[in-house]
Amino acid sequence: MKAAVFHGPRDIRIEKVPDPRIQDPTDAIVRITHTAICRSDLWFYRGQQEYEKGWRTGHEPMGVVEEVGSEVHRVKPGDRVLTPFAISDNTCEFCLKGLQTSCVQGDFWGQEVDGAQGEAVRAPFADGTLVRIPEKAEGDEKLLVALFPLTDVMGTGHHAAVCAGVGKGVTCVVIGDGAVGLCAVLAARRLGAERIIAIGHHEDRLEKAGVFGATDLISSREENAAAEVVEMTKGGANHVLECVGAASSMDTAIQVARPGGAIGYVGVPHGVAEKGLDIMEMFFKNLTLRGGPAPVRAYMTELMDDVLSGRLDPSPVFDMTVDLDGVPGGYAAMDKREALKVLIKVGK
Ligand SMILES: [Zn+2]
């Protein structure tokens, strides 16, 4: 079969690789129909994260079960499934408390595990990892594309909102206008936030945040963006969703948080440890900092219900679609910021 393979910075190639096969009785083979390129894939693409030549890429798989091992009971061949970016058994202490990203037997797609940017994957712990898509979505490509972001970005945006304690009638600030930030706006609106202030770098993406439900759009290019938000909220917001992970955006999150407020942070930290957090300001403002890699598996059923009923549609985060052979071009487009998020249609 064909799959994307990393050869070095800015060198992703589509190559023939061995077909995946059942290795453990808890495995399933999933033929990929939809996958994507994630903003976080750009770290290794740009050589800013160690990645070995020959490793597979992609961590957002959606597809159809082709084969299952003897100990798989919850999915069967022919089932259409969503797969979180984290592999989990769904039986250990952490899975049972809804923190599947800390699963004791868990793993992540890509690297030495099969990457989602290919024609198929071997899915370990299929009963835990795979989530069935109801048959009513069959044949409805628009609905399938709307469900697909539940593998990563929609669940991650939702996690930011949950960690920041967003609820009915609140005012919140979303930092970041990438796919996760946009999904965080959707999540905050879905949870009932009344005022959603989106802070971002790019005018066109901020406009999309407005379409998704942000009530106020603030350009982070303005030097006093944080001060402006503090002023418009008369002292800061109780709920801040940090969706970037850069040191500057963490600083902004702390600055715009109201005393006693909570910051939900879901962007993979880059440069934050080196620069440090303003712990004194956090201390004197009694701020809560909560977040991490989103356990999207825990949120999948509830979010899927809303997508299936038409109440939630994160599909506009995609602004470019390619096939498997178009993956290297998709990376290049995201690297040059010509695309926000690339959808990869692999099969049916
Ligand atoms: Zn587990």
Side-chain angles (χ1 to χ4, degrees):
M1 67 158 200
K2 288 195 298 184
V5 178
F6 180 81
H7 278 263
R10 292 186 169 83
D11 187 2
I12 304 272
R13 299 178 200 171
I14 302 301
E15 294 181 343
K16 281 249 175 223
V17 299
D19 286 340
R21 51 177 193 82
I22 301 280
Q23 292 175 19
D24 296 309
T26 47
D27 288 348
I29 303 301
V30 177
R31 184 167 47 77
I32 302 296
T33 58
H34 301 72
T35 184
I37 303 172
C38 185
R39 176 67 184 75
S40 63
D41 291 334
L42 293 184
W43 292 114
F44 64 75
Y45 183 75
R46 291 171 171 165
Q48 291 164 326
Q49 176 196 329
E50 288 224 15
Y51 217 79
E52 280 179 29
K53 186 177 156 117
W55 276 357
R56 302 267 297 278
T57 59
H59 57 258
E60 298 152 286
M62 172 170 162
V64 176
V65 175
E66 210 161 60
E67 191 186 346
V68 296
S70 58
E71 283 171 32
V72 174
H73 306 293
R74 297 184 54 190
V75 292
K76 58 181 191 312
D79 285 350
R80 197 175 283 276
V81 289
L82 274 171
T83 300
F85 66 82
I87 291 159
S88 63
D89 58 16
N90 239 17
T91 57
C92 76
E93 173 196 345
F94 303 109
C95 284
L96 292 179
K97 72 172 187 184
L99 198 59
Q100 288 89 342
T101 42
S102 294
C103 177
V104 295
Q105 302 194 87
D107 213 331
F108 295 91
W109 301 103
Q111 304 196 358
E112 285 161 291
V113 178
D114 287 350
Q117 292 159 0
E119 286 181 308
V121 293
R122 176 180 75 91
F125 304 109
D127 277 346
T129 304
L130 306 179
V131 179
R132 267 196 66 209
I133 298 172
E135 270 170 33
K136 66 181 273 195
E138 272 318 306
D140 188 339
E141 178 61 22
K142 200 172 172 300
L143 190 55
L144 292 175
V145 174
L147 284 167
F148 170 71
L150 272 47
T151 57
D152 187 342
V153 287
M154 186 61 227
T156 298
H158 179 69
H159 190 51
V162 169
C163 289
V166 173
K168 279 201 172 40
V170 306
T171 292
C172 66
V173 177
V174 175
I175 300 168
D177 56 10
V180 172
L182 293 173
C183 287
V185 170
L186 277 179
R189 191 186 62 176
R190 178 179 170 274
L191 291 172
E194 195 173 290
R195 190 175 191 191
I196 303 170
I197 302 164
I199 305 180
H201 247 9
H202 309 90
E203 225 158 273
D204 50 332
R205 296 180 185 181
L206 272 176
E207 264 172 41
K208 217 171 238 190
V211 174
F212 275 6
T215 51
D216 303 81
L217 309 175
I218 304 288
S219 168
S220 54
R221 292 184 191 277
E222 288 169 38
E223 217 171 288
N224 55 353
E228 195 181 327
V229 172
V230 170
E231 198 185 307
M232 56 199 275
T233 52
K234 299 187 169 62
N238 280 314
H239 313 277
V240 180
L241 292 65
E242 195 289 309
C243 303
V244 182
S248 59
S249 54
M250 287 298 281
D251 281 348
T252 304
I254 294 166
Q255 287 162 19
V256 302
R258 196 175 192 86
I263 299 168
Y265 75 116
V266 296
V268 181
H270 272 273
V272 181
E274 293 76 0
K275 188 183 167 291
L277 281 182
D278 192 345
I279 196 78
M280 288 305 272
E281 184 165 0
M282 292 186 67
F283 179 79
F284 281 102
K285 283 171 87 171
N286 263 285
L287 296 184
T288 299
L289 182 63
R290 187 166 175 232
V296 301
R297 177 69 175 81
Y299 304 132
M300 222 169 231
T301 311
E302 121 181 50
L303 295 176
M304 181 151 31
D305 286 349
D306 274 22
V307 175
L308 290 172
S309 66
R311 288 190 296 267
L312 178 65
D313 179 10
S315 63
V317 296
F318 300 110
D319 57 355
M320 181 175 175
T321 302
V322 298
D323 60 11
L324 199 51
D325 290 320
V327 167
Y331 272 89
M334 281 180 62
D335 181 32
K336 291 183 217 138
R337 296 189 183 278
E338 289 165 5
L340 167 61
K341 188 165 177 71
V342 175
L343 176 69
I344 305 164
K345 285 177 134 178
V346 183
K348 287 209 167 141

